[in-house]
Amino acid sequence: MQGTVNFMKILKKIRSGRSKRVKKEMSDNMLSASILNVRQLELHSKIAELKDVIDYIHIDVMDGIFVSNKTPGIDMFKNAKRFETKPLDVHLMVEEPERELSNYDGASIITFHIETIIDTKTMTVNMEKFERIAAEIRGFGAKVGIAIKPNTTENLLRSILRKVDLILVMTVEPGYGGQALIPSTLDKIENVKKMGFTGIIEVDGGITKENAKDVKERGASLIVVGTGLFEDEDPLEAGKIIKE
Ligand code: DX5
Ligand code: ZN
């Protein structure tokens, strides 16, 4: 009898631990630190300073084609994977995501752009291409994210709404850190919700301690911040305000 009671106690413990983890993972107030403009040599100390406020490390991969800028995405990823303990959130701003995916095995989230899977004849999502990419990402055990640029209509998301874990709404034109948030892009967050999307809404570009509250109130659950965090005179305090 005592054995059964103990077993039940242990089971309860395991279950509550698991539900806490799921809750944490699905919390609607998460911060992903964009390390685009952080010097690699300083990365470890900067992340350590912010360990209590950041949930993910956001890695921007740019190929010089989809966006004019280029980043050493693979090196940034390898470094972060080797030396950091936070889960990695990879944002692929590349023309051919399929070519690059295998470099990012080990990430928790891999996001690619919807503009790269649009069939230019029909102006609809190439579902075959989407399914191939999504399956490979899932094969790594990562969440599947789809990103959308400011001038792309969110209607294109409808056909894949139930097939992705995360939608990344770009609030600046992708390519560079340190730009100002384009206010009209915030409507996209609400529109995606109205379409019935229940997954994670990530928002990226120009977010600061001043506008984070507004962005979250619109429905964002995962906020990417680069300049507004690392360039603040007190990054930890800025992180705390953003997470409030
Ligand atoms: C822009 C990148 C963003 C950017 C965010 O193309 O996708 O992740 O680094 O940086 P801030 O917060 O400086 O806009
Ligand atoms: Zn990004």
Side-chain angles (χ1 to χ4, degrees), residues 34 36 58 60 62 91 93 170 173-179 204-207 224-227:
S34 167
L36 183 62
H58 183 88
D60 288 305
M62 305 185 190
H91 177 192
M93 284 162 276
M170 288 299 307
E173 276 303 328
Y176 296 91
Q179 305 179 69
D204 183 9
I207 299 170
V224 180
V225 191
T227 311

Side-chain angles (χ1 to χ4, degrees), residues 63-244:
D63 63 355
I65 303 167
F66 182 74
V67 289
S68 56
N69 201 1
K70 216 172 173 175
T71 58
I74 301 176
D75 295 335
M76 288 161 77
F77 178 77
K78 276 190 190 155
N79 262 337
K81 193 174 157 201
R82 204 161 151 214
F83 299 112
E84 309 304 333
T85 52
K86 295 287 175 187
L88 305 180
D89 162 28
V90 172
H91 177 192
L92 297 175
M93 284 162 276
V94 301
E95 194 61 38
E96 293 186 63
E98 270 182 293
R99 271 204 191 170
E100 314 236 357
L101 289 175
S102 59
N103 296 319
Y104 301 99
D105 188 356
S108 292
I109 301 170
I110 302 181
T111 298
F112 58 104
H113 270 262
I114 193 161
E115 296 82 7
T116 65
I117 53 163
I118 299 297
D119 185 324
T120 45
K121 272 193 204 135
T122 58
M123 285 314 282
T124 56
V125 171
N126 178 335
M127 290 306 285
E128 249 174 63
K129 199 170 177 185
F130 169 79
E131 299 284 4
R132 273 201 313 269
I133 298 174
E136 191 168 347
I137 295 175
R138 287 204 197 285
F140 302 149
K143 286 190 169 63
V144 175
I146 194 84
I148 182 161
K149 295 209 282 185
N151 292 326
T152 304
T153 168
E154 50 272 35
N155 280 330
L156 286 170
L157 292 165
R158 285 187 196 275
S159 57
I160 51 172
L161 215 55
R162 283 178 179 75
K163 294 172 183 269
V164 296
D165 302 300
L166 176 153
I167 291 176
L168 190 164
V169 173
M170 288 299 307
T171 37
V172 298
E173 276 303 328
Y176 296 91
Q179 305 179 69
L181 180 144
I182 305 167
S184 60
T185 57
L186 294 179
D187 292 343
K188 274 201 169 69
I189 307 172
E190 282 165 7
N191 291 343
V192 161
K193 286 205 140 212
K194 276 186 206 145
M195 283 179 195
F197 182 65
T198 54
I200 301 169
I201 300 182
E202 182 171 16
V203 177
D204 183 9
I207 299 170
T208 59
K209 60 188 178 195
E210 285 80 22
N211 63 21
K213 195 162 179 267
D214 186 23
V215 175
K216 284 192 278 184
E217 276 171 6
R218 298 287 197 115
S221 40
L222 174 57
I223 306 242
V224 180
V225 191
T227 311
L229 194 60
F230 295 108
E231 299 296 316
D232 194 280
E233 53 186 21
D234 187 344
L236 183 59
E237 188 53 26
K240 283 183 187 160
I241 296 171
I242 290 165
K243 292 274 298 222
E244 260 170 13

